[in-house]
């Protein structure tokens, strides 16, 4: 009786196959569940005679193993195919999300370009602190006590008086020239790029900070001719060959003689436009021969050595290239503005 049932169920199990998890679960409940067929058969088995038990016991165990093995195999196949189905949900051939590339700030582009040109002439780069004492920003540079640049109008003072005198935000990077000369002996040939501060109302044409590149060359027998040739070369490299230059006499406390240098307007090529106010010329930098007093203040023998210095505003140079009408754009960090200079060279 029991033997017949087992034979019948064995056939059923052997014939069973599915790739469906729900169907397999049905199979498990039907045969292997706590109220399933195998449980029933084992219950019935308890009632058979001891002689029968001997043969039937073995058959029964084989039958149970068969059901379990069937379930195990089908379950393995189904979960394996489930894993591949899950990973197939991602289309690995789709292009990924791109990273947005950052761009260089227009002022950084111009600063790099200026530095590269002077590098070719053997100028290195020197940096110094933005918070300066009176000595490095003014006194060593030959500013008289009552010079208007020391006035509150122009300088952001942090601390008045004290052992080292006033402490202020540097108004130019000439302070780095002083630090360099104090620290060593000529020859010096270096550029001083950096941010400087002046107490001005913020408008399209003025800001309370801007960026400079100053330069210093001190050695034996440095002349005004060297100054002119160096700056002439710089301008040809920066704005292209054929750019004209002119020097106008000027005044700075730390240079004597002093000059301002104009170039033929890079925008209208000298014909006259809004940028050059119709004159065909634009001023780009101040320069001069380092005043002997400054050399002496820094511990350099002014009878043996002479030198020239120059200073320019990076914003001004960038304006002449990119025709940016409002200085404030440089510091507002509007990416729509900044992105325009992605591939710019001056
Ligand atoms: N330090 C001057 C300024 O900030 C620029 C300058 C530097 C002029 C060197 C002459 C020589 O205006």
């Amino acid at each position: 009786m029991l033997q017949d049932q087992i034979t019948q169920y064995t056939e059923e199990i052997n014939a069973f196959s599915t790739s469906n998890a729900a169907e397999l679960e049905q199979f498990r409940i039907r045969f292997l569940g706590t109220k399933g067929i195998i449980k029933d058969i084992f219950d019935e088995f308890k009632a058979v005679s001891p002689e029968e038990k001997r043969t039937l016991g073995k058959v029964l165990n084989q039958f149970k193993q068969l059901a379990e093995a069937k379930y195990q195999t089908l379950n393995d196949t189904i979960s394996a195919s489930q894993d591949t189905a899950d990973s197939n949900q991602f289309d690995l051939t789709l292009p990924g999300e791109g990273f947005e590339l950052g761009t260089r700030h227009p002022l950084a582009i111009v600063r790099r370009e200026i530095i590269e040109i002077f590098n070719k002439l053997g100028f290195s780069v020197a940096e110094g602190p933005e918070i300066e004492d009176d000595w490095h920003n003014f006194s060593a540079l030959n500013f008289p006590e009552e010079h208007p640049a020391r006035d509150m109008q122009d300088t952001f003072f942090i601390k008045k008086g004290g052992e080292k005198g006033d402490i202020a935000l540097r108004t130019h990077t000439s302070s780095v020239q002083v630090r360099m000369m104090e620290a060593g002996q000529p020859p010096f040939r270096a550029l001083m790029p950096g941010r400087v501060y002046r107490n001005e109302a913020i408008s399209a044409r003025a800001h309370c900070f801007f960026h400079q590149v100053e330069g210093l060359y001190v050695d034996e027998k440095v002349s005004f001719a060297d100054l002119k040739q160096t700056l002439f070369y710089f301008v040809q490299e920066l704005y292209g060959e054929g750019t004209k230059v002119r020097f106008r006499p000027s005044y700075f406390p730390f240079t004597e003689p002093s000059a301002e240098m104009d170039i033929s307007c890079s925008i209208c090529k000298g014909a006259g436009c809004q940028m050059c106010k119709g004159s065909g010329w634009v001023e780009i930098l101040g320069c001069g021969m380092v005043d002997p007093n400054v050399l002496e203040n820094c511990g350099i023998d002014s009878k043996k050595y002479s030198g020239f210095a120059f200073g320019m505003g990076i914003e001004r140079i960038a304006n002449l290239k990119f025709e940016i009408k409002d200085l404030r754009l440089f510091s507002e960090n509007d990416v729509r503005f900044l992105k325009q200079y992605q591939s710019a060279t001056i």
Side-chain angles (χ1 to χ4, degrees):
M1 234 310 255
L2 213 49
Q3 177 68 68
D4 291 346
Q5 276 184 32
I6 291 171
T7 319
Q8 193 195 323
Y9 287 136
T10 304
E11 276 171 25
E12 193 184 323
I13 290 171
N14 281 334
F16 179 77
S17 180
T18 182
S19 57
N20 179 309
E23 268 177 35
L24 181 64
E25 182 60 5
Q26 288 298 319
F27 172 89
R28 191 190 63 79
I29 294 166
R30 180 163 145 78
F31 286 98
L32 300 161
T34 42
K35 289 178 188 150
I37 287 164
I38 289 171
K39 173 84 173 31
D40 286 350
I41 294 178
F42 267 91
D43 285 348
E44 279 180 48
F45 174 74
K46 284 175 195 157
V48 301
S49 66
E51 308 86 75
E52 255 189 298
K53 261 189 188 159
R54 224 172 298 131
T55 43
L56 209 54
K58 210 174 157 202
V59 176
L60 200 52
N61 276 328
Q62 276 171 354
F63 172 63
K64 191 183 171 202
Q65 278 163 15
L66 175 76
E68 281 171 353
K70 185 73 169 192
Y71 172 76
Q72 203 54 54
T73 325
L74 288 176
N75 195 39
D76 287 353
T77 342
I78 289 174
S79 44
S81 66
Q82 198 63 43
D83 287 349
T84 29
D86 283 350
S87 57
N88 282 345
Q89 284 171 7
F90 299 100
D91 181 351
L92 299 176
T93 63
L94 282 177
E97 272 179 41
F99 290 102
E100 268 208 61
L101 271 189
T103 59
R104 270 189 220 291
H105 193 283
L107 293 179
I109 295 172
V110 175
R111 185 189 55 215
R112 273 165 63 105
E113 187 114 1
I114 295 170
I115 290 173
E116 264 171 35
I117 296 171
F118 281 101
N119 270 347
K120 290 188 233 171
L121 295 174
F123 282 73
S124 58
V125 171
E127 285 178 338
E130 292 184 15
I131 296 173
E132 264 300 4
D133 52 44
D134 177 275
W135 171 256
H136 291 98
N137 197 77
F138 295 127
S139 296
L141 289 160
N142 210 27
F143 277 80
E145 208 54 61
E146 70 289 357
H147 195 281
R150 293 178 174 225
D151 196 279
M152 287 296 278
Q153 293 293 317
D154 293 309
T155 309
F156 285 114
F157 287 99
I158 291 172
K159 210 171 94 201
K160 289 295 268 180
E163 227 175 83
K164 285 184 159 180
D166 301 336
I167 302 290
L169 293 177
R170 68 180 178 196
T171 58
H172 51 188
T173 55
S174 304
S175 53
V176 187
Q177 303 191 13
V178 176
R179 286 183 176 276
M180 189 177 199
M181 290 192 282
E182 278 177 341
Q185 281 297 312
F188 299 114
R189 210 176 338 173
L191 288 184
M192 295 83 188
R195 179 175 285 185
V196 301
Y197 301 84
R198 300 209 183 154
N199 193 357
E200 302 218 24
I202 297 171
S203 72
R205 309 189 56 122
H207 212 296
C208 59
F209 63 78
F210 62 98
H211 300 81
Q212 281 190 326
V213 176
E214 294 209 354
L216 175 72
Y217 181 27
V218 181
D219 204 346
E220 286 177 42
K221 301 194 180 74
V222 176
S223 70
F224 202 89
D226 296 321
L227 162 71
K228 281 172 96 173
Q229 181 55 43
T230 304
L231 294 179
F232 180 76
Y233 169 79
F234 164 63
V235 162
Q236 305 306 303
E237 288 285 301
L238 191 64
Y239 289 107
E241 262 178 55
T243 307
K244 295 195 190 88
V245 298
R246 72 176 186 191
F247 290 83
R248 287 177 290 102
S250 185
Y251 172 78
F252 299 103
F254 35 89
T255 47
E256 183 60 35
S258 304
E260 267 163 342
M261 190 177 87
D262 298 341
I263 58 163
S264 49
C265 180
S266 61
I267 288 158
C268 64
K269 305 285 171 230
C273 69
Q274 222 187 347
M275 186 61 87
C276 60
K277 301 199 189 81
S279 72
W281 294 95
V282 282
E283 183 206 319
I284 64 158
L285 55 80
C287 57
M289 301 307 291
V290 181
D291 192 300
N293 283 343
V294 175
L295 294 176
E296 295 293 338
N297 283 342
C298 300
I300 288 161
D301 183 354
S302 64
K303 297 206 173 53
K304 188 168 176 203
Y305 295 108
S306 57
F308 66 75
F310 55 88
M312 67 192 100
I314 303 181
E315 279 82 348
R316 174 119 190 100
I317 307 283
N319 280 351
L320 283 174
K321 170 67 189 177
F322 303 129
E323 292 180 67
I324 297 161
K325 298 264 154 43
D326 192 330
L327 261 184
R328 289 170 291 196
L329 287 166
F330 285 122
S331 50
E332 278 168 357
N333 277 342
D334 184 334
V335 284
R336 292 169 303 175
F337 167 74
L338 297 173
K339 270 190 164 177
Q340 297 173 62
Y341 305 97
Q342 210 151 0
S343 55
T345 49
I346 197 160

